Amino acid sequence: MDGYFPLASGHAPNGRRRTLRAEIGCVGIGLHSGRRVALTLRPAASGTGILLRRTDIGLELPARFDQVVDTRLCTALGSPERPEERIGTVEHVLAALAGCGVDDAVVELDGPEVPILDGSAAPFVFLIDCAGIIAHGGFAESIEVLRPVRVQEGTGAYAAWAELAPTGGDRLEAALTIDFPSTAIGRQTLSLRLTPEEFRGALADARTFTMAEEVARLRAMGLARGGSLANAVVVDGPLVLNPGGLRRPDEFVRHKLLDVVGDLALAGAPLRGRFTGHRSGHGLNNRLLRALFADPANWRLRPVLAAEGAAAVAGAAAATARLPAAAAPAIA
């Protein structure tokens, strides 16, 4: 049990990096592919970060923003050399790993996308709980936002935008507003500070959702083949079609903020700053990270515990190998 600590604490002893204590797996259906997929979460060596691996085609990708190849209704990663080979719907499992404070792990699949399970991150949090988390070698690091970065689509009342700004805090703060024409959803706003406790209590169990009139269109596009009322909330005007109704009155904005956590986990390390979004989705979330890392003056990589001195700085510097070479950070 040496080095094991409760998930809810949110901090490894001495700021050490964290991985899973044991491997654990599940089987489910891909939301868009409709295929049965087996998933295994495995421990990984210190400094690995989060890797996604498809055993059926021999594809391995780092969970990084510049590996994103598609943001239509999910976040999909792909190889630049083989863009047709991809790993889809990564956002919920990445949100669970980030929200629970896992620095190093391998997400292994035998199919094209992460299984949707119940449409939220709660089943992945359950798997992480069962496996446990252990502190191991190397110091944890975070990415500090140094100046505001903003991306936007559209203008006026229909504009959608997302922004990262400095806060001086040690965690990600996030605020999101959504606005849908469906009266069952409407306009909802949520703001929180991303701690493991807040992630578990406020976001993890919020499910993905869609409008009833969109289902046929999505399936005609080859999407949502595995979707059902068991893994998504479906609304029709003012009605929620799921027999059990909503888990919370504002489940919709909670799920969208869950997606933000998963998408921003592709930064490669936890962000220190404030995310603010209005009608933001996977595409804008990814564009925001690309804009952040486009200029080294926007950010710097910092050890979680500055008091650890040179050893912590060296550990943080070693982690830059997981980030794009064009984004050379200042280590503080």
Side-chain angles (χ1 to χ4, degrees):
M1 294 292 287
D2 183 37
Y4 177 74
F5 63 97
L7 283 171
S9 71
H11 297 283
N14 302 318
R16 295 286 180 175
R17 295 180 66 83
R18 294 148 289 192
T19 191
L20 300 172
R21 188 164 180 254
E23 68 178 54
I24 193 167
C26 67
V27 176
I29 300 297
L31 174 63
H32 295 300
S33 67
R35 287 180 50 179
R36 178 186 180 276
V37 181
L39 173 145
T40 303
L41 299 178
R42 300 188 185 279
S46 178
T48 300
I50 307 300
L51 288 179
L52 292 102
R53 178 184 298 152
R54 276 187 64 177
T55 58
D56 59 325
I57 60 173
L59 178 67
E60 183 172 280
L61 298 168
R64 211 172 64 188
F65 67 93
D66 61 337
Q67 301 293 304
V68 172
V69 294
D70 196 351
T71 55
R72 292 181 305 161
L73 303 174
C74 75
T75 295
L77 307 182
S79 167
E81 295 78 24
R82 298 181 292 176
E84 73 283 357
E85 297 180 357
R86 60 179 62 190
I87 301 172
T89 320
V90 301
E91 59 271 16
H92 300 165
V93 69
L94 293 182
L97 290 166
C100 291
V102 177
D103 299 296
D104 303 302
V106 176
V107 181
E108 192 173 272
L109 309 161
D110 66 356
E113 76 181 306
V114 175
I116 191 62
L117 303 179
D118 77 342
S120 78
F124 298 114
V125 172
F126 174 76
L127 292 175
I128 294 167
D129 278 351
C130 291
I133 295 179
I134 191 167
H136 62 168
F139 290 96
E141 66 282 335
S142 61
I143 295 166
E144 182 182 10
V145 179
L146 298 179
R147 60 186 188 182
V149 177
R150 180 183 173 108
V151 293
Q152 182 168 322
E153 290 179 356
T155 57
Y158 297 100
W161 54 268
E163 180 179 276
L164 281 168
T167 62
D170 63 351
R171 291 189 180 274
L172 179 67
E173 300 174 7
L176 180 67
T177 299
I178 63 172
D179 195 355
F180 283 81
S182 172
T183 53
I185 305 173
R187 185 181 180 93
Q188 298 182 353
T189 299
L190 182 65
S191 179
L192 55 78
R193 182 172 180 263
L194 188 64
T195 64
E197 296 84 358
E198 192 79 343
F199 177 79
R200 288 167 166 274
L203 300 183
D205 68 347
R207 296 164 293 175
T208 193
F209 61 92
T210 190
M211 274 77 71
E213 63 268 23
E214 291 290 299
V215 174
R217 183 182 68 85
L218 293 175
R219 289 183 172 163
M221 295 169 58
L223 301 171
R225 293 173 179 173
S228 72
L229 294 179
N231 55 39
V233 176
V234 181
V235 301
D236 187 0
L239 303 177
V240 174
L241 301 185
N242 301 65
L246 297 175
R247 292 176 175 174
R248 305 163 189 262
D250 60 348
E251 186 171 0
F252 305 104
V253 71
R254 291 176 187 271
H255 182 78
K256 283 292 191 180
L257 203 47
L258 169 66
D259 282 346
V260 168
V261 174
D263 289 340
L264 295 188
L266 292 165
L271 290 167
R272 296 188 189 187
R274 180 170 180 81
F275 169 90
T276 309
H278 177 72
R279 302 177 64 236
S280 180
H282 300 300
L284 272 178
N285 297 339
N286 185 250
R287 281 180 54 200
L288 182 62
L289 286 183
R290 291 176 186 267
L292 175 71
F293 289 108
D295 188 337
N298 291 339
W299 63 285
R300 63 180 171 181
L301 196 63
R302 299 193 63 180
V304 168
L305 293 182
E308 295 291 349
V313 171
T320 62
R322 297 195 310 276
L323 299 172
I331 306 294

